[in-house]
């Protein structure tokens, strides 16, 4: 049997092409001991908790919402994320990726929600009417994601490993900016002049060094807990330095009970058109994140298994956003941040996600516990996140290389990367476009992803015989590796 045929057969059988030299401690279906699962769950939570609650806090502050409404939005974000994570990791029928895919609030909606809510506020709407309209629009828009999941298997020519890799790469590069800003003290530090101070940089580098040190350990338990240990060490130092702010813990309800459509339901068609473009962006991000999780978890990113996971993951994204908006949370998406945690800890077990889901629901019911995580100073988070987000960018590069890097793919990646990074440097460059289009191209992830899709459709794929042969180009790098290993 030829090498090409062996690789093709392996792909059809949905076996992992990456299991020969694994760096994972626990694979997708492994069940770690209870204490290790809890450590893994806490590590993932530490990586996403502040980004999870931050969107509701930012929107609440920007729109001048009451502390009661803002606290409810935060609690529902945690509960919805727990429900969504449970669905994703378990995979119920066709719903869910079956990977360690963590659901969290979609940051892409923050700017849009603030803009739409601000406009409604100028029109004289009170906060309940504003929240009702924003969540109503998001609720209806989530069904766009549900519908898109049904056609993903037919879009293989559009969403190739190169396109997915570019999206994941842009996600990582975009998140690095968030990490490095926190490393220097965060946005508040820029306002008070303490950004990049010795104190902030010292905390950031302390956490970074601790995380790197523990991840170099041969002991699996120490490696798994590296991120959590780094954050704990940094937090203890911050306590002794007297820079931990406990004010977010004041005046919170003891328990929060979810109430579907608590603020009513209303719909604004114009606002829906704007939100719909962001949902299209979230689909692209979800495809990239799920692809990254698959490759880091040493699962195929071609073939029938990958198609099922991708379709099920995006379907779960849509359904979970429907649930989230009904409960009173901003829309959710699959979080890319956790791919960095998987890569650094070596734990890809989806069973860890069940514990993450349970903890999130509990934290949502008791807001004072969940809000405690928001007291972690920005430099401590930045020290860990800068490294994790860089891992995501590297995962994107791996995906691109898996698809092959001939002259055609190089041209697509280079152009998409140039446009995406260019937009991140100056988002106003495409301001001349209509608002409905500009809202897409002001986002570097979407700008890079859309550019990759357009070029992938326009530039012909030609093999040495001058004929289109997508499968051969796709498995070429895998075949070469297989031959060398043999």
């Amino acid at each position: 049997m030829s090498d090409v045929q062996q690789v093709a057969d392996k792909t059809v059988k949905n076996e992992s092409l990456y299991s020969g030299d694994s760096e994972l401690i626990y694979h997708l279906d492994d069940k770690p001991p209870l204490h290790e699962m809890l450590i893994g769950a806490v590590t993932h939570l530490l990586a996403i908790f502040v980004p999870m609650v931050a969107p509701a806090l930012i929107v609440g502050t920007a729109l001048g919402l009451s502390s009661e409404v803002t606290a409810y939005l935060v609690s529902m974000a945690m509960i919805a994320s727990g429900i969504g994570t449970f669905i994703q990791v378990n995979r119920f029928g066709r719903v869910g990726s079956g990977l360690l895919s963590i659901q969290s609030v979609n940051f892409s909606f923050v700017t849009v929600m603030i803009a739409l809510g601000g406009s409604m506020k100028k029109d004289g709407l009170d906060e309940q009417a504003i929240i009702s309209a924003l969540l109503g629009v998001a609720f209806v828009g989530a069904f766009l994601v549900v519908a898109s999941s049904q056609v993903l298997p037919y879009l293989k020519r559009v969403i190739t490993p190169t396109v997915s890799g570019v999206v994941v790469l842009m996600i990582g590069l975009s998140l690095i900016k968030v990490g490095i800003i926190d490393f220097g003290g965060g946005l508040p530090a820029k306002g008070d002049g303490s950004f990049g101070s010795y104190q902030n940089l010292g905390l950031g580098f302390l956490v970074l060094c601790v995380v790197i040190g523990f991840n170099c350990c041969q002991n699996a338990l120490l490696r798994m807990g590296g991120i959590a240990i780094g954050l704990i060490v940094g937090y203890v130092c911050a306590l002794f330095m007297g820079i931990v702010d406990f004010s977010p813990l004041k005046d919170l309800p003891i328990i929060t009970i979810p109430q579907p459509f608590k603020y009513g339901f209303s719909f604004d068609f114009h606002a829906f058109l704007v939100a719909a473009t962001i949902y299209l962006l979230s689909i692209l991000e979800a495809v990239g994140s799920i692809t990254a999780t698959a490759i880091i978890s040493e699962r195929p990113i071609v073939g029938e298994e990958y198609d099922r996971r991708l379709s099920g993951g995006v379907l779960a994204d849509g359904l979970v956003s429907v649930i989230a908006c009904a409960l009173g949370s901003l829309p959710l998406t699959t979080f890319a941040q956790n791919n960095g945690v998987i890569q650094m800890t070596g734990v890809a077990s989806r069973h860890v996600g069940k514990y993450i889901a349970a903890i999130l629901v509990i934290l949502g019911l008791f807001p004072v516990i969940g809000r405690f995580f928001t007291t972690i100073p920005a430099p401590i988070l930045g020290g860990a996140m800068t490294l994790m987000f860089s891992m995501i960018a590297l995962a994107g590069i791996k995906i691109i290389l898996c698809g092959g890097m001939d002259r055609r793919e190089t041209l697509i990646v280079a152009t998409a990367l140039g446009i995406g990074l260019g937009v991140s440097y100056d988002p106003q460059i495409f301001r001349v476009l209509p608002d409905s289009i500009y809202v897409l191209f002001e986002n570097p992830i979407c700008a890079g992803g859309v550019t990759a899709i357009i070029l992938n459709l326009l530039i012909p794929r030609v093999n040495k015989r001058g004929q289109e042969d997508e499968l051969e180009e796709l498995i070429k790098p895998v075949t070469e590796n297989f031959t060398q290993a043999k």
Side-chain angles (χ1 to χ4, degrees):
M1 182 182 294
S2 69
D3 293 339
V4 174
Q5 185 62 46
Q6 291 184 48
V7 175
D9 289 346
K10 200 170 189 179
T11 300
V12 171
K13 294 177 181 178
N14 299 319
E15 297 178 7
S16 173
L17 299 176
Y18 315 100
S19 57
D21 187 22
S22 174
E23 293 187 357
L24 290 178
I25 298 173
Y26 293 108
H27 291 77
L28 183 64
D29 292 311
D30 292 342
K31 290 186 177 181
L34 177 61
H35 67 284
E36 293 188 11
M37 280 207 274
L38 289 175
I39 291 175
V42 171
T43 300
H44 277 279
L45 287 171
L46 289 173
I48 69 168
F49 206 88
V50 172
M52 178 190 300
V53 302
L57 295 173
I58 294 171
V59 171
T61 301
L63 297 181
L65 302 179
S66 65
S67 58
E68 179 186 352
V69 173
T70 302
Y72 184 80
L73 292 176
V74 170
S75 293
M76 291 308 103
M78 290 185 281
I79 292 175
S81 296
I83 295 172
T85 299
F86 187 79
I87 292 173
Q88 283 281 21
V89 301
N90 281 283
R91 184 173 176 84
F92 297 96
R94 297 172 57 191
V95 182
S97 66
L99 299 167
L100 185 52
S101 301
I102 312 302
Q103 297 290 117
S104 189
V105 177
N106 192 336
F107 234 105
S108 299
F109 280 90
V110 171
T111 304
V112 173
M113 291 296 186
I114 292 174
L116 293 175
S119 176
M120 295 174 187
K121 194 171 184 178
K122 289 181 180 178
D123 292 337
L125 274 67
D126 59 24
E127 70 173 17
Q128 180 165 333
I130 292 173
I131 295 299
S132 173
L134 292 178
L135 294 181
V137 164
F139 176 85
V140 176
F143 287 98
L144 294 176
V145 181
V146 173
S148 71
S149 68
Q150 305 306 305
V151 299
L152 281 178
Y154 305 102
L155 298 178
K156 294 179 182 178
R157 183 173 176 80
V158 177
I159 306 178
T160 63
T162 298
V163 173
S164 298
V166 166
V167 174
V168 175
L169 178 58
M170 288 307 308
I171 289 173
L173 294 177
S174 299
L175 289 173
I176 288 173
K177 180 179 179 180
V178 176
I180 205 66
I181 288 176
D182 279 344
F183 198 108
L187 294 176
K190 285 192 171 185
D192 61 26
S194 64
F195 185 79
S197 65
Y198 286 115
Q199 174 179 277
N200 292 335
L201 294 179
L203 276 175
F205 277 113
L206 171 64
V207 174
L208 180 63
C209 291
V210 171
V211 172
I212 292 175
F214 277 92
N215 272 272
C216 291
C217 293
Q218 295 299 317
N219 184 284
L221 190 60
L222 292 178
R223 180 183 165 192
M224 287 171 55
I227 299 174
I229 294 171
L231 292 172
I232 291 172
V233 170
Y235 194 82
V236 171
C237 289
L239 284 173
F240 281 107
M241 296 167 66
I243 61 173
V244 179
D245 180 16
F246 291 105
S247 61
L249 303 180
K250 297 179 180 179
D251 303 323
L252 288 175
I254 298 176
I255 189 169
T256 301
I257 304 299
Q259 300 178 40
F261 299 109
K262 179 178 180 179
Y263 302 103
F265 180 88
S266 60
F267 182 77
D268 183 293
F269 185 73
H270 177 265
F272 170 75
L273 291 179
V274 177
T277 59
I278 303 301
Y279 270 118
L280 295 177
L281 165 62
S282 72
I283 295 168
L284 202 58
E285 290 182 1
V287 168
S289 297
I290 293 169
T291 302
T293 306
I295 196 170
I296 292 171
S297 302
E298 300 183 353
R299 303 308 307 165
I301 57 170
V302 292
E304 183 182 348
E305 176 186 328
Y306 172 67
D307 290 343
R308 289 199 310 268
R309 294 192 188 281
L310 193 61
S311 179
V314 174
L315 176 57
D317 259 21
L319 292 176
V320 170
S321 288
V322 170
I323 296 172
C325 295
L327 291 179
S329 166
L330 298 180
L332 304 187
T333 190
T334 301
F335 240 33
Q337 284 90 323
N338 295 90
N339 290 323
V341 179
I342 294 173
Q343 196 164 6
M344 292 179 65
T345 62
V347 179
S349 170
R350 63 187 181 87
H351 298 288
V352 173
K354 300 175 184 178
Y355 287 83
I356 296 172
I359 294 173
L360 282 173
V361 172
I362 293 172
L363 293 179
L365 293 174
F366 299 97
V368 67
I369 301 175
R371 192 74 69 86
F372 170 78
F373 287 89
T374 66
T375 66
I376 301 175
I380 296 174
L381 293 171
M385 289 194 298
T386 300
L387 182 59
M388 290 190 297
F389 295 165
S390 299
M391 291 287 191
I392 297 172
L394 289 176
I397 294 174
K398 286 184 178 180
I399 296 171
I400 293 171
L401 293 177
C402 179
M405 280 294 286
D406 57 16
R407 184 171 56 184
R408 176 184 184 274
E409 308 303 320
T410 300
L411 187 61
I412 293 173
V413 173
T415 307
L417 188 60
I419 296 295
L421 280 180
V423 169
S424 71
Y425 297 142
D426 193 344
Q428 295 291 322
I429 185 172
F430 293 116
R431 195 64 189 87
V432 68
L433 297 174
D435 289 344
S436 58
I437 300 178
Y438 171 68
V439 73
L440 291 176
F441 281 88
E442 69 174 344
N443 184 295
I445 300 171
C446 190
V450 170
T451 300
I453 289 174
I454 293 174
L455 292 179
N456 187 54
L457 292 174
L458 294 180
I459 300 177
R461 186 187 300 273
V462 180
N463 63 13
K464 295 179 181 179
R465 296 182 299 276
Q467 298 174 337
E468 190 177 290
D469 192 348
E470 186 169 346
L471 177 60
E472 181 176 317
E473 289 296 324
L474 186 62
I475 67 174
K476 180 180 178 182
V478 182
T479 305
E480 292 175 348
N481 292 335
F482 182 90
T483 304
Q484 291 174 3
K486 190 176 180 182

